[in-house]
Amino acid sequence: MAYNIVMPQLSDSMEEGKLISWKVKPGDTVRQGDVVAEVESDKAIMEVQTFKEGVVRELKLKEGESAPVGSVIAVIETSAQEESTQGSVRSARGESVEGSALSVEKKEEKKSQANNEQRTTNDTPPHPKSNIQHPTSKNEPSIVTELFGEAEKNQPPTPNPHPLGEAQASPKARALAARLGLDIEALQKKGRLPVPTHAEDLRRHYARRYFTPKALKLLEAYNLSPDLFKPGKKHTEKEVMAYIEEHAIPKAKPLDSMRKAIIAAVTEAQKKPVFHIDDTLDATLLKKYESRERTVTVWLIKLLGEAMMRHEAVRTTLNERGLQVWPGASVCVAMAHGEALYMPVFKNVDQKSVDEVAKELADYKTKVKNGRIGPEDLKGSTFGLSNLGMTGIERFDAMINGNDSGIVAVGSEREGRIAVTFTFDHRVVNGWQGAEFVQTLKSLAEDESQFITD
């Protein structure tokens, strides 16, 4: 029998996941608990396991492709004996629940499979099926991949298994076919179009016939329809680019999971009532004790931890249960790689040495560079740090991360002073509390005992 592995939901805000890599290939034997893939959510990269033993029958995504949460990404062929021994956990209603909550197969779905409706991957087809499929997923292959992929090249057209007296097509498809001069019925009989045919099917067929591969890539990149161009002739990359430039068409850039997460986070942060405090820190000791490992950022994390332990308000978070005061000083630090932005958390820095913080920072930099930040790396902070001083930016303000009480934005050094801008959640920290915290941090930056670790 077939066991489906689905795209897991790795966070509450996750709507789709990106397949980073497969750890198996078709024909491999897997055991329960084996890692089969790595998937990127809107916040982290996680491993996906199989909850049953068997042989990998099919991998439905290519590395780098995305799919909605809950959609099938791989199929494992299990033995009948394994099905009966491991089986499924029966719920109170008698429904079968497999290892993952996302792979639930309801009785109603099984009943519907007995009809003549579209079969799922768990069905055994009663007769040979045509390889012509109408795309239904929003994550279907790109035009270029679908039209010029190896599978398409090596597989001859399959005749329509259901002879028609006339073409079966939507009204839009018929209108488009008339405009493009295409015979839907003839193409269906040759297996060139699915039954029924929709306008998008015609556009794909037409694109394959009348556009070069490079021209098709431009159509996809700029989200252009093939029927914008004169029918009946082969169109080149140069012609498509001329159309793009003439009409000043912007290049389409779909939102990936990371960008969606950033948008959601900053939108939520914008709703908070905040206030700002602008000030400067004496950079004398920070620069004196700076080294390759003990960077200014490392010292600032340590100084923030010490200041936080002296001020309860900045160790406080607000959620639906009310205010919560945390015993340790945990600081999240903004770190970016390309367009990806993370806020990994340095937990309980008040209990760590400066060298331990330095090593943790180096480890996080490696994780960010390789896209290996995990969900646990992003939890537990109550205050944040964003340092852009190394870019030469003199001053800026930063948005508060999650439920934190505030964040400090660190700018560049000017005449021995470092510009800092504090943003506080006014529901958690009042103006006086914020001012006292800033003064404490300024004093610590001028206290040489804070920098002497031997």
Side-chain angles (χ1 to χ4, degrees), residues 294 298 302 348-360 453:
R294 298 180 176 186
V298 169
K302 277 297 296 175
N348 300 315
V349 296
D350 54 297
Q351 301 175 21
K352 296 175 180 176
S353 69
V354 64
D355 290 328
E356 287 175 325
V357 173
K359 183 181 184 305
E360 193 170 8
T453 60

Side-chain angles (χ1 to χ4, degrees), residues 61 72 108 136 149 155 163 236 298 353 356 360 378 396 424:
L61 284 184
V72 178
E108 290 78 4
T136 57
Q155 197 167 16
T236 65
V298 169
S353 69
E356 287 175 325
E360 193 170 8
L378 305 173
F396 69 105
F424 294 100

Side-chain angles (χ1 to χ4, degrees), residues 23 54 74 81 149 195 224 243 248 253 291 301 341 351 373 392:
K23 301 303 181 184
Q81 180 181 2
V195 181
L224 296 175
Y243 181 91
K253 188 175 182 180
S291 67
I301 293 171
L341 177 65
Q351 301 175 21
I373 292 289

Side-chain angles (χ1 to χ4, degrees), residues 297 332-336 341-344 346 384-388 398 407:
T297 298
C332 63
V333 178
M335 303 178 71
L341 177 65
Y342 301 94
M343 298 291 286
F346 294 72
L385 166 66
S386 180
N387 185 5
L388 292 180
I407 189 169

